[in-house]
Amino acid sequence: MRFGVLGTGFWARQIHAASLAEHPDAELAGVWGRDLGKAKALGAEFDVQGYDDLDSLLNRVDAVSFALPPDVQVPLAIRAAEAGKHLLLEKPIALGVEDADRLVDAVRANDVASVVFFTFRFQQGTATWLAQAARTKLAGGAGSWLGNNYQPDSPFKDSVWRQRKGALWDLGPHALSLFLPALGPVTGVQAGAGLGDTVHLVFTHDGGAASTVTLSHTVAPMSSGIEFFVHGDAGRITLLPEVGPVARASHQVAVTELTQAATTGGAHPCDVGFGREVVAVLDAAQRALESGCRESVIG
């Protein structure tokens, strides 16, 4: 399957384009960017053409891998779906439920395959963890992702959308990608703010289980770390997800699974519909933060 990459930043270069260039069964056919110079420069690194005209790239590919801010991703993903291209989307798929619904509608109306790149979901350790959780009667879970995203050496320190939306919208999708399949749909959210962009969340899941999550991009470097666990009649089941360079291998798995979904016509567990469910929970959490009240997840 021929892929185009949309985006020219660090994540596009180090993960999306590099993954596709090394993939045994996919072909990197081109790179698109709003800045033609950057698109051509990135394309040259991988010996493919760079474009600033989206239609020109879409005419040469079967699928698109997105490495763009969520608000930029939505209209371009809709255009790609309408052109019949399969979608490997970044999380969150949108910054609001209305935009997420528009994207879901476009994918379904044009019968294209979709996969959302929730990095942890494409790691073997996570698959094993979810399988263990599925065999256990669970009462709840907890997790934290504490990072220091804005240190001078961070590749994301200048990300405008992350600075504006904070850890809730950047790291929250990763937590939900684990707790939704393990504990069930979220029906209610409570949220409280901490220092910096730190947010503390309590999720009520369908069936009565509850989970708690703490997320931050702004803790001290020595405090950073990631841990998630669920607990039930078999005890505590802990997941320590891998981050960093392993994301490239995770992306290759996502590429393979999108190709399989496109070939078979089957739905993927992390398709655009699941991405929309995540956005709905994040939207409710944002409302809870702003109002100081518990919020229900709608739809």
Side-chain angles (χ1 to χ4, degrees):
M1 184 176 286
R2 299 167 300 167
F3 278 79
V5 168
L6 271 59
T8 57
F10 168 84
W11 200 245
R13 173 180 288 102
Q14 295 295 325
I15 305 302
H16 290 247
S19 159
L20 286 161
E22 298 168 357
H23 199 285
D25 300 314
E27 176 188 351
L28 175 61
V31 174
W32 175 91
R34 289 173 286 186
D35 183 319
L36 181 58
K38 291 180 179 180
K40 286 186 173 181
L42 179 55
E45 291 185 32
F46 296 96
D47 198 27
V48 297
Q49 188 170 343
Y51 301 85
D52 65 351
D53 179 68
L54 180 61
D55 292 332
S56 294
L57 175 61
L58 292 178
N59 287 335
R60 292 166 172 78
V61 301
D62 308 299
V64 180
S65 187
F66 288 81
L68 296 169
D71 54 336
V72 179
Q73 174 174 252
V74 171
L76 300 182
I78 290 173
R79 285 178 60 184
E82 290 173 344
K85 311 305 174 182
H86 306 294
L87 307 180
L88 181 48
L89 298 158
E90 266 297 341
K91 59 79 208 163
I93 64 168
L95 295 176
V97 175
E98 183 176 347
D99 277 348
D101 283 339
R102 291 173 54 225
L103 182 49
V104 169
D105 289 345
V107 168
R108 292 175 177 170
N110 292 281
D111 196 27
V112 296
S114 64
V115 168
V116 184
F117 185 41
F118 296 100
T119 316
F120 300 155
R121 289 293 299 274
F122 300 93
Q123 297 177 1
Q124 184 55 51
T126 303
T128 301
W129 183 80
L130 286 172
Q132 292 175 321
R135 295 192 295 268
T136 303
K137 183 177 180 180
L138 296 174
S144 65
W145 185 334
L146 305 179
N148 49 316
N149 213 47
Y150 306 121
Q151 296 298 307
D153 60 347
S154 170
F156 306 112
K157 65 182 185 298
D158 297 321
S159 172
V160 175
W161 85 266
R162 287 180 174 87
Q163 292 177 8
R164 180 165 60 92
K165 302 298 287 187
L168 172 63
W169 285 87
D170 187 25
L171 304 181
H174 291 295
L176 289 166
S177 78
L178 301 175
F179 285 144
L180 286 172
L183 298 171
V186 170
T187 58
V189 183
Q190 299 176 66
L195 295 175
D197 73 345
T198 301
V199 60
H200 306 282
L201 306 169
V202 179
F203 299 124
T204 303
H205 295 265
D206 188 26
S211 59
T212 62
V213 179
T214 298
L215 307 167
S216 183
H217 277 318
T218 53
V219 301
M222 292 292 289
S223 299
S224 61
I226 309 172
E227 180 181 14
F228 294 94
F229 68 86
V230 290
H231 60 88
D233 58 3
R236 180 183 294 200
I237 307 170
T238 299
L239 174 67
L240 301 175
E242 297 183 80
V243 295
V246 296
R248 187 181 300 178
S250 298
H251 188 270
Q252 288 195 331
V253 174
V255 168
T256 296
E257 294 185 7
L258 176 65
T259 302
Q260 292 170 345
T263 301
T264 64
H268 189 276
C270 292
D271 67 2
V272 70
F274 181 75
R276 189 267 183 204
E277 183 179 359
V278 168
V279 169
V281 177
L282 295 173
D283 188 66
Q286 185 69 58
R287 297 196 309 270
L289 273 177
E290 293 169 354
S291 67
C293 298
R294 183 180 186 276
E295 289 284 343
S296 298
V297 180
I298 307 301

